[in-house]
Amino acid sequence: MCGIIAYNGQDDAIPYLLEGIRNLEYRGYDSFGCAIDSPVGIIIKKDIGRVDDVINKYKIQNFSSNKAIFHTRWATHGGVKTENAHPMIDCMHRIAVAHNGIIENWAELKESLGTHKFISDTDTEVLSHLIEEKLSRGSDIQSAVKDTFNQIKGSSSFIVLDKQSEDLIAVKKGSPLVLGIAKNGNFLSSDVPSFVRHTNKVVYLSDGDMVVLGKRGYTITNLMNRDVNHDVSTVNLSAKHAEKGDYEHFMIKEIMEQLAQMKSLESADFGNVTRAAELVKNAKLVYLIGAGTSYHTALLGAKVLRENGIKSAAVQGQDLITYRNVISEDDVFIVISQSGETADIINAMPLISKNKKIGIINSEGSTLTKDVDIFIPIDAGPEKAVASTKSFTLSSVYVTLIAMFAAGKKEEALRDLKLLNINMYNLLVPSVLSAIDKAAEKIKGLEDVFFLGRDSDYIMALEGALKLKEVSYIHAEAIDAATFKHGPLALISDKTYAVALVSESTRNDTLYNLQEVKARGGNIIGVSDKNENVFDMFIRAQNGGAFGFVTQSIILQLLAYKTSILKGINPDRPKNLAKAVTTK
Ligand code: F6R
C-alpha cells in the first residue's frame, strides 16, 4: 500500500503536505515523491529512502505552491528504485499521477501505448500515458481521467495534477481516499489523521467517485453509477491522536493506550453489539473472517461463540473460496479488519454478497465499512505502528461481547469487563515491567522462540509469536501445548526457549506439557497469574474472566516491543512490511 495526500486552495500547500506525508509514512516507507504546481510547469522530486531523508535531500520545505501531491510508496509492482517512485509523468510532462493500488491489466494497456516512452517498471505509469493519449485526441482532462478509470482493472485510487488545469482530479476504487474540507482549500488523502490538524470536516469517498478539486470548491460524481452518500461528516479526532506525543514510538504509545480504552468500554453504549448479537443468534453458522492479527481475533471469536452454543468457524479471507459450496444464505459473517482495506478480505466479499455481515473495523469510512450491514467501530483511534496492538485487543473484546450477548450473558460480560479493568490496573507494575525487560534481554540473542498454550492461550501464543517476528525478526512459532508432543518436541534442547501462556482453565494440562519440555532441557518463560516450578522466568499476567486474554496480549506486545528496541530495530517500521496489505 502507499500513502497519498494532495491540497488545492488559497494557502501554501507545502507545509500542509509535509506534515501530512510524514503522518502517512506508516503506509509505505520505500520511497517518497511529490508533484508541485509552479508557474514554469510541474516540479517533480522523488527518490528512494525514508520520507524525511528525501525531503531534506531535495529541500522540499523551500518550495511554495497552492497545489501539490505528495506520495509515499511501498513497492508492489517494480522494485525500490527512484524511477519507480511516484508521481509518474507523461511524455510531454503535462500531467503527474500519484497512485495507490494495483492495475491488473497494466501489461496490455502498456502495449496499447506503443509510442509512449516509459521510464519506470510500475503499473502506475500506464495511467499518466493513458491520460496523455486521451488528451492528445482532444479530450478534456476530466473526460481523460474518467475514460482511463473505465479502462483499468483492479483496485486503484489516484490523483492527477494537470499543469493546464486549475483543478486536481482524483478517482477512488478499492484503496482509501478521503476528502478534507478546510477553510481556504481542500485535501485529498489516504487517511483523515494526515490533515486533521487543519480540518475535521470530511467526505468519505466511495468506489467509483471522481473528485474535481478546485481552489475554492469541489464536485463529486460517481463513475460506477452508484447512488452514494457524499455528506460532509465531522470527525471526532484531534491531531494528538495521530502523533507520538511523549512516546518514542507509535507502537509503545498504542500499547499503552489500551489501558484507557479498556476502561472506557465500561461506559460504552453497546447498541450495535446488541444488534449484531441478534443476527448471530439466528444464524445457521457464523463465519469470522480476518487476516494476520485479525485472523487471530477471528479464531478467538469463533471459539467463544462455540463455547456459547453457536456454530462458528474462523476463516482467513483468501481461504473463503474453499467454502463456496457450503455457504448458505442463513450464515452470518463477522468481518474483522483494522484497516478495512485488506485485499484478501475485500476480494472475498463477492462470495458473500447475499449474506448478512457484521464489520468489526477500526478505520471509519474504509472500503469494508461500506460493505457490511452492521458496522462496529472499535474506536481504537489511528493505529500507526505497523504491528497491530490496540486494534487486536479491542476487536477481540468486541467479538467476545457479541458472543456473550448472543448467549444471553450480557450481565456476565459487563461484570467481566470490570474485572478486566481491575486486572489492568495491576498489570504494568514495576515487578512485571522488569520481568518483561529480563525476558526481552534473554530473547534478543535467540534465533528461535516457541510460544505455547492451549485453548485461548494458544490463540494468544499465535498473536505473541506474530508480534515478535514482525518487530524483532526472530523466528517465533506458536504451537498448541498439547500438539508439541506430536513432533516439535524433537527440537527441544537446553538452548530452546519457550514463552508459555498458562491460565486458570488450562493450568493442569499445560503444566503437564511444559514438564515434557523441561525434561528435555528446554527453558520456559511463563506468562501466568501464578509462578510455577516449571518456569525459568516468570511474568505475572492477571487473566481472569472472559477478557483475560487482554492482559496476556499486552504483555506479549511489550515483550516484542522491548526485544525490538534491544535489537536496535525501529518497531514502527519493520522491514518489508506495510500497515495495510492491499495486494493479493
Ligand atoms: C500484524 C498485522 C497484520 C494485519 C493483517 C490484516 O501485526 O498488523 O497481520 O493484522 O495484515 O490487517 P487488517 O486488520 O487491517 O485487515
Side-chain angles (χ1 to χ4, degrees):
M1 76 178 189
C2 302
I4 318 178
I5 181 162
Y7 175 86
N8 193 11
Q10 331 278 314
D11 296 343
D12 185 359
I14 306 304
Y16 294 158
L17 301 187
L18 283 171
E19 178 192 326
I21 203 70
R22 288 182 177 119
N23 234 300
L24 286 170
E25 199 184 10
Y26 73 97
R27 299 183 59 86
Y29 33 93
D30 290 338
S31 23
F32 162 85
C34 58
I36 300 171
D37 188 41
S38 87
V40 292
I42 302 173
I43 299 165
I44 301 278
K45 297 286 174 201
K46 55 177 167 176
D47 214 327
I48 58 169
R50 298 291 301 271
V51 164
D52 268 330
D53 295 340
V54 184
I55 286 171
N56 291 335
K57 182 170 172 186
Y58 294 97
K59 300 201 171 14
I60 309 293
Q61 63 276 14
N62 294 345
F63 289 91
S64 170
S65 173
N66 301 122
K67 185 169 64 164
I69 311 172
F70 283 25
H71 184 275
T72 180
R73 178 170 188 250
W74 185 70
T76 47
H77 193 121
V80 182
K81 295 202 298 193
T82 301
E83 299 78 36
N84 291 343
H86 299 208
M88 294 294 159
I89 52 166
D90 60 325
C91 303
M92 303 304 289
H93 213 129
R94 169 176 164 180
I95 55 168
V97 183
H99 168 228
N100 180 20
I102 296 195
I103 300 167
E104 288 171 2
N105 55 339
W106 67 274
E108 66 195 68
L109 292 171
K110 187 171 177 179
E111 209 170 305
S112 75
L113 291 160
T115 54
H116 289 251
K117 190 165 179 297
F118 281 74
I119 52 156
S120 79
D121 316 317
T122 65
D123 52 347
T124 302
E125 201 179 351
V126 298
L127 293 173
S128 49
H129 294 285
L130 277 173
I131 296 169
E132 174 178 45
E133 183 67 23
K134 293 172 203 323
L135 291 172
S136 72
R137 289 165 194 253
S139 281
D140 59 77
I141 183 70
Q142 289 183 35
S143 313
V145 171
K146 178 178 166 189
D147 293 344
T148 299
F149 175 81
N150 287 332
Q151 261 184 294
I152 58 172
K153 295 199 178 112
S155 62
S156 281
S157 298
F158 60 90
I159 308 179
V160 182
L161 193 161
D162 172 11
K163 76 174 179 188
Q164 295 185 15
S165 166
E166 277 247 301
D167 306 319
L168 288 172
I169 321 278
V171 286
K172 178 197 177 315
K173 189 172 170 216
S175 306
L177 202 61
V178 285
L179 173 62
I181 299 151
K183 198 159 148 250
N184 296 327
N186 301 310
F187 293 88
L188 281 160
S189 177
S190 304
D191 78 13
V192 177
S194 59
F195 59 72
V196 77
R197 188 191 285 283
H198 310 291
T199 179
N200 63 353
K201 303 263 178 292
V202 306
V203 178
Y204 290 112
L205 300 171
S206 295
D207 282 353
D209 280 347
M210 177 167 100
V211 184
V212 178
L213 195 71
K215 287 248 171 295
R216 287 192 168 72
Y218 64 88
T219 57
I220 309 174
T221 41
N222 194 279
L223 306 181
M224 290 158 75
N225 296 323
R226 292 187 178 182
D227 185 15
V228 284
N229 176 5
H230 294 138
D231 290 351
V232 178
S233 313
T234 304
V235 292
N236 183 15
L237 190 73
S238 79
K240 82 172 179 8
H241 286 115
E243 286 162 7
K244 280 195 288 221
D246 292 336
Y247 289 99
E248 204 181 330
H249 297 102
F250 279 109
M251 184 173 176
I252 186 69
K253 174 187 181 236
E254 289 159 8
I255 292 172
M256 300 312 283
E257 278 173 354
Q258 295 171 98
L259 303 182
Q261 285 166 341
M262 295 301 155
K263 188 74 195 151
S264 69
L265 282 177
E266 276 186 31
S267 52
D269 160 24
F270 290 121
N272 47 10
V273 173
T274 306
R275 286 197 299 132
E278 269 315 300
L279 263 188
V280 157
K281 205 160 72 183
N282 298 314
K284 192 169 161 206
L285 185 93
V286 182
Y287 287 92
L288 296 98
I289 316 287
T293 285
S294 296
Y295 174 61
H296 298 154
T297 299
L299 286 171
L300 184 80
K303 179 205 97 98
V304 183
L305 282 164
R306 285 195 298 273
E307 282 175 343
N308 282 291
I310 297 165
K311 288 187 188 143
S312 56
V315 184
Q316 302 192 62
Q318 75 279 11
D319 214 24
L320 195 65
I321 187 91
T322 67
Y323 290 72
R324 64 190 178 284
N325 296 329
V326 295
I327 293 172
S328 114
E329 283 189 19
D330 302 327
D331 296 334
V332 168
F333 284 76
I334 302 182
V335 179
I336 302 145
S337 178
Q338 187 289 125
S339 61
E341 302 178 39
T342 299
D344 288 340
I345 312 295
I346 291 174
N347 294 341
M349 289 296 110
L351 290 168
I352 52 173
S353 56
K354 298 203 177 95
N355 292 82
K356 288 279 184 233
K357 293 179 273 299
I358 299 156
I360 300 182
I361 300 165
N362 190 36
S363 304
E364 215 172 322
S366 60
T367 306
L368 283 171
T369 58
K370 303 190 181 205
D371 225 346
V372 295
D373 302 283
I374 300 176
F375 166 40
I376 302 186
I378 61 166
D379 285 335
E383 195 179 66
K384 297 273 180 161
V386 162
S388 181
T389 53
K390 56 182 180 171
S391 297
F392 170 69
T393 48
L394 278 167
S395 53
S396 299
V397 167
Y398 273 102
V399 281
T400 306
L401 285 169
I402 293 173
M404 292 181 80
F405 280 33
K409 295 185 182 167
K410 180 171 176 180
E411 276 182 20
E412 187 182 327
L414 299 182
R415 195 192 61 214
D416 280 359
L417 269 183
K418 289 209 167 70
L419 172 63
L420 167 66
N421 281 307
I422 294 168
N423 288 340
M424 293 287 273
Y425 188 73
N426 294 315
L427 178 66
L428 300 181
V429 293
S431 58
V432 173
L433 291 173
S434 89
I436 296 172
D437 283 343
K438 279 193 197 124
E441 195 62 54
K442 186 85 249 163
I443 285 174
K444 75 167 196 231
L446 302 175
E447 286 192 359
D448 308 285
V449 182
F450 290 107
F451 283 72
L452 303 180
R454 285 171 170 250
D455 197 317
S456 64
D457 295 342
Y458 168 57
I459 300 170
M460 292 309 120
L462 284 167
E463 177 55 13
L466 179 58
K467 287 294 90 93
L468 187 69
K469 267 184 256 196
E470 284 182 288
V471 301
S472 77
Y473 313 152
I474 293 169
H475 169 236
E477 193 175 344
I479 302 180
D480 188 305
T483 309
F484 214 53
K485 60 184 177 288
H486 294 294
L489 210 47
L491 296 171
I492 300 298
S493 73
D494 57 2
K495 307 230 165 17
T496 313
Y497 273 79
V499 176
L501 294 150
V502 180
S503 44
E504 197 50 49
S505 63
T506 59
R507 186 175 319 277
N508 289 345
D509 290 341
T510 303
L511 289 180
Y512 182 83
N513 298 132
L514 295 181
Q515 291 295 353
E516 296 171 332
V517 176
K518 197 78 199 157
R520 283 145 187 96
N523 302 282
I524 297 168
I525 301 169
V527 179
S528 174
D529 55 343
K530 277 196 207 137
N531 199 351
E532 304 284 353
N533 287 338
V534 77
F535 297 160
D536 296 281
M537 295 176 112
F538 168 57
I539 307 172
R540 186 180 300 281
Q542 314 271 359
N543 58 8
F547 306 100
F549 58 84
V550 174
T551 52
Q552 292 176 322
S553 177
I554 291 175
I555 284 173
L556 298 182
Q557 292 166 358
L558 282 169
L559 185 63
Y561 173 75
K562 302 263 173 155
T563 309
S564 176
I565 299 301
L566 288 174
K567 291 191 74 175
I569 294 166
N570 177 355
D572 288 348
R573 309 272 179 268
K575 66 176 155 72
N576 305 338
L577 300 182
K579 181 68 188 158
V581 185
T582 51
T583 50
K584 276 185 191 172

